[in-house]
Amino acid sequence: MDLVPALEEPLKKVLGPPTAKVMAEHLGLHTVGDLLHHYPRRYEERGQLTHLADLPMDEHVTVVAQVADARLHTFASSKAPRGKGQRLEVTITDGSGRLQLVFFGNGVHKPHKELLPGTRAMFSGKVSLFNRRLQLAHPAYELLRSDTDETVETWAGALIPIYPATAKLESWKIGKAVQTVLPSALEAVDPLPDSLREGRGLVPLPEALLKIHRPHTKADIEDAHARLKWDEAFVLQVALARRRHADSQLPAVPRRPAPDGLLSAFDDRLPFTLTEGQLKVSKEIFDDLATSHPMHRLLQGEVGSGKTLVALRAMLAVVDAGGQAAMLAPTEVLAQQHHRSVVEMMGNLAEGGMLGGVEDATKVVLLTGSMGAAGRRQALLDLVTGEAGIVIGTHALIEDKVQFHDLGLVVVDEQHRFGVEQRDALRGKGKQPPHLLVMTATPIPRTVAMTVFGDLETSVLDQLPAGRSPIASHVVPAADKPHFLARAWDRVREEVEGGHQAYVVCPRIGDEEDDPKKARKAQKAAPEDEAEKRPPLAVLEVADQLARGPLKGLRIEVLYGRMPPDDKDAVMRRFAAGDTDVLVATTVIEVGVNVPNATAMVIMDADRFGVSQLHQLRGRVGRGSAPGLCLLVSEMPEASPARQRLAAVAATLDGFELSRIDLEQRREGDVLGQAQSGARSSLRVLAVIEDEEIIAEARREAAAIVAADPELTGLPGLRTALDALLDDEREQYLEKG
């Protein structure tokens, strides 16, 4: 069934091509229905003002505030050498905080006339830092007068909706566009079954859309939110329930390990006992492998909880049962590292068909894009004949040439770095769908797992193996207290003198200057852009400064993603062997790199990384018996949200706690992995942390409805909503999950 035509109407026809083009390019809105589902982020009350103190850096914001004072300055510059340059500085206030607005050049005349002290307006722009103070440069603004009919009409009612906006299209312009299309909301088809909606006392969809865009009271907003949250949770859970239902109908070869085979031989030679968590998770995996439909399991575990060992035991079980197992890693460095550690752990059990290999041994091959032709030919031959029971590789495994004898299990490491198509292509290499185990070291709160990985069963490894050392983390405020940074380099020296090694992580490589476009752009920067932050610190520059300055005399090497693969591997090998004291690297070391002798890590410009990423990086130290040290260097002011984020990372080693913090600070839209799907996020009002109950209930309702009617033949409204919300790309994303 097609969507109701009124909501499918292209915005081009309703709003005109120029506005529609900006909405499509910058907000991903194409139809009337899209715009109706672009909900206000929050509401301002006339007479109440925004909290300016809480504004996020580098974000595009809309605030309602009052002008406190306005001053016009003249200055000399290259464009106006005789002191004719003009700069208007306007201070606005919300009663608690103050914010500076700056206008330059010809742009000062209009605001100078209009922004008089006492004037109230909506201001929209990007928050930056200048002279350690927050400011908006050249903000757009709309005066809030109550003396003209037009404005009274536009801002009718006490609540002003503030929409997620962009520099090209301010919140109030989006608001006016919404007013134009709002009558169409009456034709929206309701996706919720009547019994479910009435049983929970939820308002119908057309009413919810009217109330969210034009609320008269706060109760209207609550009614709309309660209803629209259910839509988002329910439609998504129905999509996932249909996926699980379809998966349960697929055939797979059950894989049960031989009683005295490869897995037993491997377990017998382990120099330690498995943790309770590892045994429990292994049992869940082995039970799934023994069934006749494909396993789809997510294994999440803290950095260093021993996920690789659990995955290896699953791979050995499949080899025991006559199948092959493939492990897909996101980078060559990581694939090589996994291959090395698997071969080390297995010893002569990895030498199948070779002199010195034991009876149950198999062959473990590595397959990456940069291998030489001869090595590659041999690896491909070992796979197609079944000689190799285990293959570890990058996306080179997915190429058409790669054929398996009998692929029984696919293990995907660091799920969020793989496009869905890649995983799907590898799964297509089995004669029947192989079992799938997805591993991630990014702890995911339960509700996110239910939402993002809702078609996977979840296993959690939350115990750290005995012998892992604690990691002390500290924030180093480089701008406020430069001597703290000097002390950080002293600490690195002390660790090296004690026989250990260190990482220094930077956000950028530093060879980008070769790009003429970027260089030209940098030259063109206007004086008002000086308020923009300096570029992030770079590996090549920092390594050079350290070698000539605070770490002079130490053996320093660099590592980054764009290096030739052989060079990267050689650098990693030297570091692992202890031939390098300090490795200055990008986040290429974020996952899987295991050097137990590395005890210290200094993360430069730590505020440029996300919470989960910092936690991942920190997990590279403290992997041996000596305690770890992680120093988070930042030049951001103490009160900034970025510094609060760093303080949270320094305060806990609990990845699940940090993932909650991370999620609360990010927009919910990121949760569905837009990068994976290429599609617009469907989460607009649902907050995956706060709305745990709604998600859990929606999952139960969805499972019951899909079990009774997998094709949803009796629910045309729900089918319509699925088609709209899970556009083609998102549907594929879930299918390939």
Side-chain angles (χ1 to χ4, degrees), residues 316-624:
L316 295 174
V318 168
V319 175
D320 253 355
Q324 289 170 295
M327 185 185 230
L328 198 53
T331 64
E332 293 211 353
V333 167
L334 196 51
Q336 288 163 338
Q337 176 112 12
H338 276 317
H339 181 254
R340 268 204 300 278
S341 61
V342 163
V343 169
E344 276 166 25
M345 282 197 268
M346 287 176 63
N348 56 9
L349 293 174
E351 295 171 2
M354 294 184 241
L355 277 173
V358 289
E359 188 188 342
D360 294 308
T362 187
K363 207 168 184 181
V364 180
V365 300
L366 175 69
L367 190 61
T368 64
S370 65
M371 285 172 78
R376 189 178 172 75
R377 242 193 333 270
Q378 185 59 52
L380 292 172
L381 187 65
D382 288 341
L383 287 179
V384 77
T385 58
E387 184 81 15
I390 294 176
V391 58
I392 296 168
T394 54
H395 49 265
L397 281 177
I398 296 161
E399 292 170 13
D400 293 342
K401 294 192 198 89
V402 181
Q403 301 289 321
F404 288 85
H405 177 63
D406 178 14
L407 182 61
L409 170 67
V410 174
V411 178
V412 178
D413 190 21
E414 286 308 320
Q415 134 83 22
H416 60 285
R417 290 160 170 261
F418 269 111
V420 174
E421 294 73 21
Q422 295 169 310
R423 290 206 312 271
D424 201 47
L426 189 51
R427 265 163 61 176
K429 300 243 177 224
K431 296 188 175 70
Q432 283 192 326
H435 299 281
L436 175 71
L437 180 65
V438 169
M439 299 198 295
T440 176
T442 309
I444 302 164
R446 175 175 162 259
T447 40
V448 185
M450 273 196 294
T451 311
V452 187
F453 301 105
D455 56 340
L456 300 176
E457 299 300 325
T458 305
S459 295
V460 178
L461 266 181
D462 46 13
Q463 267 179 309
L464 286 186
R468 285 300 297 253
S469 303
I471 304 169
S473 306
H474 304 283
V475 179
V476 177
D480 308 351
K481 299 178 178 162
H483 60 285
F484 275 40
L485 183 57
R487 176 72 189 113
W489 300 126
D490 290 345
R491 284 292 291 112
V492 170
R493 265 192 184 284
E494 287 162 17
E495 290 298 311
V496 172
E497 281 161 13
H500 298 297
Q501 292 160 279
Y503 297 100
V504 176
V505 181
C506 304
R508 207 163 57 94
I509 298 170
D511 57 359
E512 296 88 346
E513 284 70 26
D514 305 341
D515 185 338
K517 272 192 202 153
K518 283 189 185 166
R520 276 203 303 278
K521 207 168 163 189
Q523 283 164 3
K524 277 189 190 162
E528 59 265 33
D529 293 336
E530 285 168 17
E532 289 290 353
K533 291 153 71 174
R534 60 165 174 73
L537 289 170
V539 166
L540 299 174
E541 294 156 17
V542 169
D544 188 44
Q545 287 162 8
L546 292 176
R548 285 184 290 141
L551 301 184
K552 194 172 179 180
L554 301 187
R555 297 169 298 175
I556 298 174
E557 289 210 58
V558 297
L559 180 71
Y560 50 87
R562 292 216 303 268
M563 285 167 70
D566 288 351
D567 294 0
K568 274 193 290 205
D569 194 41
V571 168
M572 244 358 272
R573 279 179 188 277
R574 285 196 293 274
F575 189 64
D579 298 337
T580 305
D581 299 321
V582 179
L583 187 62
V584 183
T586 57
T587 53
V588 61
I589 62 155
E590 180 186 345
V591 284
V593 172
N594 184 21
V595 180
N597 192 44
T599 53
M601 175 176 287
V602 181
I603 303 179
M604 307 303 292
D605 279 342
D607 46 88
R608 311 272 178 134
F609 300 101
V611 169
S612 296
Q613 201 173 23
L614 290 169
H615 183 59
Q616 286 291 324
L617 286 165
R618 169 171 65 184
R620 301 301 112 215
V621 295
R623 298 179 79 85

